[in-house]
Amino acid sequence: MQVLINGETQSLESPLKLSALLQQLGYRGETFAVAVNGGFIPRTEYSNTEINNDDSLDIVAPVVGGKGERSINTLRKNI
């Protein structure tokens, strides 16, 4: 199956939970947020959210300064 992660197509062997995918990709800690098909997923739902064929994921990290502060506030509202 294929998923789009931050604009790049990646192949996965089978559907899996978001938490497992993030672990495979090397994401750890709480310094990022994830949107699946345009909707931000609360961190508490990572282990319940299944990633399926043709899903689109945006994994974003806060940016310090300038427009980044606005982005952090936007993320906080959506998580």
Side-chain angles (χ1 to χ4, degrees):
M1 67 179 236
Q2 292 192 332
V3 296
L4 191 65
I5 301 174
N6 289 345
E8 293 185 20
T9 301
Q10 296 199 20
S11 296
L12 303 175
E13 290 187 25
S14 60
L16 72 166
K17 300 295 184 188
L18 176 58
S19 57
L21 176 60
L22 291 170
Q23 189 172 17
Q24 284 183 11
L25 296 173
Y27 286 94
R28 290 176 175 66
E30 298 182 359
T31 58
F32 57 90
V34 181
V36 177
N37 300 324
F40 280 97
I41 305 297
R43 189 168 304 277
T44 55
E45 292 299 317
Y46 287 2
S47 61
N48 297 322
T49 302
E50 188 163 291
I51 303 303
N52 295 294
N53 190 42
D54 292 330
D55 279 348
S56 176
L57 284 80
D58 292 303
I59 304 169
V60 295
V63 177
V64 177
K67 294 180 180 178
E69 291 181 21
R70 182 176 176 195
S71 296
I72 291 171
N73 290 332
T74 300
L75 287 174
R76 287 182 179 144
K77 289 178 186 175
N78 292 315
I79 295 177

